[in-house]
Amino acid sequence: MRPFWPISLFALACLPALATDAETDFSARARALHERLVTLDTHLDTPANLQKPGWNIMQSHNVADDGTQVDYPRMIAGGLDGGMWAIFTGQGPLTPEGRAHARNAALQIALRIHTMVAAHPDQFEIARTAADAPRIAAAGKRIVYLSIENSYPIGEDLTLVQTFFDLGVRVMSPVHTAHNDMADSASDASPAPWHGLSPRGRQLVVECNRLGIVLDASHASDQVFDQMLALSKTPIILSHSSCKAIYAHPRNLDDDRIRKLAASGGVMQLNSLSAYLVDTPANPDRNKAMAEFFGKYGGSRSLTPAQTEVLNRERREFMAKYPVKRANFDDFMKHVRHALEVVGPEHVGFGADWDGGGGVTGMNDVSCYYKITEALVQAGYSEKDLSNIWSGNVLRLLHAAEDFATKQKKP
Ligand SMILES: [Zn+2]
């Protein structure tokens, strides 16, 4: 039977080469279910692309051509209603200049997200409360929550948390891949300075609770996770993380901690970045070449469209010269199934790290996102389970954060 949703080129790219009628019929039903859900991804690194010269969120792009994974047409194709659009700043020096630079960069990214939404008011809308997501989805628009990955921009000035809250930030993580003012990182090999959260990191937790921001422990060390879980008055999130039991990366979470997270009402959102899913052998030559490549194109904001073309061509050549072992869709689903087996569908969701290194063979960009629903329907999960997994759980956390903040304001 012919599926009743319009097959786009995107969908063809996600389908197996040969499908029986029964398989196609099943896919159509799973797809229809997927379209009924409100779907959120809690870690979209797409704001980094908004500054690319000539790049337009309203046009469809091809990940093989320009490396991007999310745009409006592909969100429609994959059935993604929206998510947390990340204000990410890489960790730099812990100096007044470094912190000021990070603060300015983060404010500019927030502005860029708002500019994108303002330019396309019929397609996107900023969400500030848990109740906004279903309302915006019902209006047929994409949902834009803001999140902060790495609190480096907050630096020594915690009043900036309020500033970013006012700009719409509702999820915030203290740290990225290097230790900083707030906390120890899971993936920094140098001695951990804080053995968890720093005194300011603890204040950050209190301030996020006060305002109604959900705390995010992705990238944080296990000790930071434990301390955030103990300190936070509302359930925390792992916005894009994977399971240590499936692949023992220091950035992944062990089963005991996944259970503790669930016991406190929290949610783990599964990542699709290959290096966290499967063993990818170290390649020093590639790392060196990559550092040179980034050094050459670090300031890509100032490139002309013609120079961007050259960059994209060189990026393709680089990928061909230094291929990396990639995880595939089954590898990703192993982590998803494991998390679901350990804590069940009320504590699991997705933050696939699109435009931040995520994507696996068989699910290369957001246009293939509905495949997860297909796989989970096949595995016996109900529509209610899927509704929780795709957004209900995250919205529960946002509700809890809002409720706590509201209660604090009462005399
Ligand atoms: Zn990340």
Side-chain angles (χ1 to χ4, degrees):
M1 189 184 118
R2 209 179 119 74
F4 58 78
W5 79 90
I7 278 202
S8 67
L9 286 175
F10 301 123
L12 287 174
C14 308
L15 285 172
L18 290 170
T20 64
D21 279 359
E23 283 167 347
T24 311
D25 187 36
F26 169 79
S27 295
R29 279 185 284 117
R31 179 64 199 245
L33 186 159
H34 184 78
E35 290 298 333
R36 287 196 294 275
L37 307 172
V38 175
T39 55
L40 295 173
D41 178 295
T42 52
H43 194 71
L44 301 170
D45 271 315
T46 310
N49 293 332
L50 299 177
Q51 66 169 339
K52 287 186 176 170
W55 196 87
N56 181 348
I57 190 99
M58 294 309 296
Q59 291 171 357
S60 62
H61 305 78
N62 186 330
V63 63
D65 289 340
D66 72 356
T68 70
Q69 297 173 303
V70 179
D71 49 43
Y72 181 75
R74 284 183 288 180
M75 290 179 81
I76 301 285
L80 179 64
D81 290 313
M84 279 65 186
W85 298 63
I87 298 169
F88 164 68
T89 40
Q91 189 60 51
L94 296 171
T95 59
E97 296 77 19
R99 294 181 188 107
H101 186 267
R103 178 201 61 209
N104 294 348
L107 289 168
Q108 283 168 11
I109 298 166
L111 188 63
R112 216 177 288 143
I113 298 169
H114 280 273
T115 304
M116 176 201 85
V117 173
H120 309 290
D122 295 333
Q123 286 80 23
F124 294 96
E125 187 173 334
I126 298 284
R128 291 175 186 270
T129 68
D132 282 344
R135 179 186 57 75
I136 295 170
K141 298 191 225 180
R142 306 296 110 179
I143 301 152
V144 182
Y145 286 104
L146 273 66
S147 64
I148 281 190
E149 178 177 37
N150 192 9
S151 291
Y152 180 36
I154 305 298
E156 296 179 309
D157 183 1
L158 283 167
T159 67
L160 287 168
V161 182
Q162 173 87 59
T163 305
F164 282 106
F165 175 84
D166 293 344
L167 284 165
V169 168
R170 293 295 180 269
V171 174
M172 188 176 277
S173 74
V175 67
H176 190 235
T177 54
H179 309 315
N180 68 8
D181 288 320
M182 304 290 180
D184 301 332
S185 167
S187 28
D188 188 335
S190 67
W194 308 111
H195 305 291
L197 289 161
S198 70
R200 195 173 304 120
R202 288 170 178 272
Q203 290 175 332
L204 178 75
V205 172
V206 173
E207 184 63 357
C208 285
N209 282 166
R210 183 184 75 81
L211 291 165
I213 295 174
V214 175
L215 286 146
D216 178 4
S218 280
H219 286 290
S221 74
D222 285 346
Q223 281 175 306
V224 174
F225 170 88
D226 294 342
Q227 293 169 13
M228 269 168 55
L229 202 66
L231 264 178
S232 177
K233 302 291 187 194
T234 70
I236 70 169
I237 194 171
L238 290 157
S239 68
H240 58 305
S241 286
S242 309
C243 302
K244 201 165 261 175
I246 303 297
Y247 176 55
H249 190 285
R251 160 93 168 75
N252 294 349
L253 209 67
D254 61 64
D255 286 356
D256 277 353
R257 287 191 168 85
I258 297 175
R259 285 192 194 95
K260 277 182 195 150
L261 176 76
S264 70
V267 184
M268 176 176 186
Q269 306 282 105
L270 276 295
N271 198 336
S272 73
L273 193 146
S274 288
Y276 303 143
L277 301 178
V278 294
D279 191 20
T280 48
N283 186 341
D285 287 348
R286 185 181 200 275
N287 292 347
K288 188 165 169 275
M290 177 88 99
E292 283 167 14
F293 187 81
F294 277 123
K296 186 172 167 188
Y297 287 111
S300 61
R301 203 183 339 178
S302 58
L303 297 182
T304 64
Q307 288 169 323
T308 303
E309 276 297 306
V310 175
L311 180 152
N312 285 336
R313 196 191 67 235
E314 290 189 9
R315 195 187 56 78
R316 288 193 294 272
E317 287 166 1
F318 177 90
M319 298 302 275
K321 188 173 174 189
Y322 298 103
V324 274
K325 181 177 165 187
R326 293 191 82 213
N328 60 33
F329 185 65
D330 287 340
D331 296 321
F332 168 70
M333 287 307 297
K334 263 183 214 158
H335 286 260
V336 174
R337 280 196 299 270
H338 180 78
L340 284 167
E341 278 159 22
V342 173
V343 287
E346 294 190 352
H347 302 283
V348 175
F350 307 111
D353 226 338
W354 300 118
D355 292 323
V360 289
T361 302
M363 189 179 76
N364 281 304
D365 66 17
V366 80
S367 70
C368 302
Y369 228 176
Y370 65 87
K371 282 178 71 170
I372 300 175
T373 296
E374 217 173 86
L376 293 179
V377 170
Q378 188 104 54
Y381 288 95
S382 68
E383 181 157 350
K384 182 169 185 295
D385 294 336
L386 285 155
S387 172
N388 283 330
I389 291 169
W390 274 110
S391 65
N393 299 333
V394 173
L395 296 178
R396 183 182 74 227
L397 264 58
L398 287 170
H399 263 303
E402 284 165 25
D403 283 354
F404 181 81
T406 306
K407 281 183 193 133
Q408 298 311 294
K409 282 184 203 136
K410 290 199 176 138

